[in-house]
Amino acid sequence: MSKTLLILPGDGIGPEIVAEAVKVIEWLNEHADLGLELEHDLIGGQAYDEYGAPLADGTLEKCRRADAILMGSVGGPQWDGVDYDKRPEAGLLRLRKELDLFANLRPALVFDALVDASSLKPEIVKGLDILIVRELTGGVYFGEPRGIEDLGNGERRGFNTQTYTTSEIRRIGRVAFDLARKRNQRVTSCEKANVMESGKLWREEITELHRAEFHDVELEHMYADNAAMQLCRNPHQFDVIVTDNLFGDILSDEAAMLTGSLGMLPSASLGAEGTPGLYEPAHGSAPDIAGQNIANPLATILSLSMAIRYSFERGDLADALDAAVQDTLNQGTRTGDIMADGCTQVSTSEMGDALLKNLSQSKALAA
Ligand code: NAD
């Protein structure tokens, strides 16, 4: 039975970069039996203009019915004056909430050809391949009580609550251990068990889950502040990092910067079994370069690769696609954001074409 991928291009550069991913899907459908049926709809500012809401109910229904969703990006200055709950970003937040996408996967991959783009020394980041698994729907960003109160003495008090339950910790831990089994069998769990009760519970629950179900995977616990330091000092020590919403927000941005290029960073948000995964580049809608055919489509194409791997279970095709990205970069083909001396600068669509050419010559697919 064929599977459905819902395409939500969004705003700004979204339609341009997603169009290149669609070219790849069509090629894989035709030549590698990917068997994906595509549906299309609007999200973000485009959806607000067309439907009066950044995520229309009908679109949400289509999302629920799809096997996975590939999104471009949302937002832009033309919607700055719109009410907060109708802003493009509100559409994306609603989608994550309605589908309960509690696990955010952010790989930090350093391609050999781009090793000089990192702000760290090449010998520290060369060959880097880390996966950060961030809890996305709980913790201090959502915990109650929260607010700002007037203390009546000229002082105000701002407060938020960090809270996690056993099941919230175990379900994100399970995602991380499962992924580590498909990678290098190592999980580093990060919290602040030394100063926070929620961190102490996090450590106990992850330890128990590991003992009961995942003792074949290596587990290490690390305080989140130390993890931030170790990511810069010796990032190769990590394979999968699992952490809460707040620490994950910070550690995933830090790890992303080890790679040096925003246009290369994919992401996935996953929910419970049977829920469609949401795949999108980590960057925004880049209104400053929208409509010029100069944006880098590779983060979106790598997000598609994650969809093919995690939602459609075709690791063979995802490997071939990742290798084609690697080959394209090795040949010196670059969009403006990753341009370097001696390389050839290409447009968004030329980057897609170069990648397809490498994919069509893939030894892995021919085998
Ligand atoms: P941004 O990521 O859109 O852009 C930051 C800089 O990186 C810009 O100079 C941009 O040109 C460049 N850039 C980003 N992606 C690129 C690509 N693929 N190729 C080449 N260059 C690229 O961040 P911003 O400027 O802070 O935000 C712009 C809009 O995007 C805002 O409305 C923001 O709310 C939205 N946004 C959306 C998402 C999302 O959809 N998940 C994420 C972040 C920001």
Side-chain angles (χ1 to χ4, degrees), residues 310-322:
Y310 298 126
S311 286
F312 302 117
E313 285 169 23
R314 288 295 306 268
D316 57 331
L317 300 186
D319 286 346
L321 189 48
D322 293 352

Side-chain angles (χ1 to χ4, degrees), residues 13 17 71-77 80 89 92 96 262-264 280-289 294-300 335-337:
I13 59 171
I17 52 180
M71 204 193 83
S73 45
V74 295
D80 278 354
E89 293 78 1
L92 179 56
R96 288 180 182 151
L262 198 53
M264 298 295 305
E280 52 174 323
H283 59 71
S285 59
D288 52 332
I289 58 166
I294 58 172
N296 185 348
L298 293 179
T300 310
T335 42
D337 58 312

Side-chain angles (χ1 to χ4, degrees), residues 183-249:
R183 293 170 49 96
N184 293 321
Q185 311 277 338
R186 274 185 296 126
V187 168
T188 307
S189 171
C190 301
E191 25 58 14
K192 291 281 290 174
N194 49 342
V195 286
M196 296 170 75
E197 281 75 9
S198 57
K200 183 170 180 291
L201 182 76
W202 182 284
R203 186 173 286 221
E204 288 170 4
E205 294 297 344
I206 293 283
T207 302
E208 179 50 27
L209 176 68
H210 175 250
R211 192 199 57 75
E213 296 176 35
F214 295 98
H215 42 85
D216 52 310
V217 177
E218 200 183 307
L219 169 66
E220 183 187 17
H221 299 283
M222 193 179 277
Y223 297 137
D225 50 339
N226 186 27
M229 204 162 65
Q230 296 298 331
L231 270 173
C232 293
R233 199 184 70 84
N234 175 20
H236 279 284
Q237 70 186 281
F238 298 110
D239 177 24
V240 175
I241 293 177
V242 63
T243 189
D244 73 14
N245 204 343
L246 173 64
F247 297 135
D249 197 359

Side-chain angles (χ1 to χ4, degrees), residues 108-153:
L109 253 179
V110 173
F111 291 92
D112 283 355
L114 298 182
V115 73
D116 291 323
S118 172
S119 49
L120 295 191
K121 294 186 193 118
E123 61 268 29
I124 292 185
V125 291
K126 192 169 189 303
L128 192 69
D129 181 0
I130 299 176
L131 181 63
I132 304 220
V133 178
R134 166 188 170 193
E135 201 291 325
L136 201 59
T137 52
V140 73
Y141 293 166
F142 297 97
E144 300 280 350
R146 59 188 296 159
I148 299 177
E149 66 182 8
D150 201 326
L151 297 179
N153 57 355

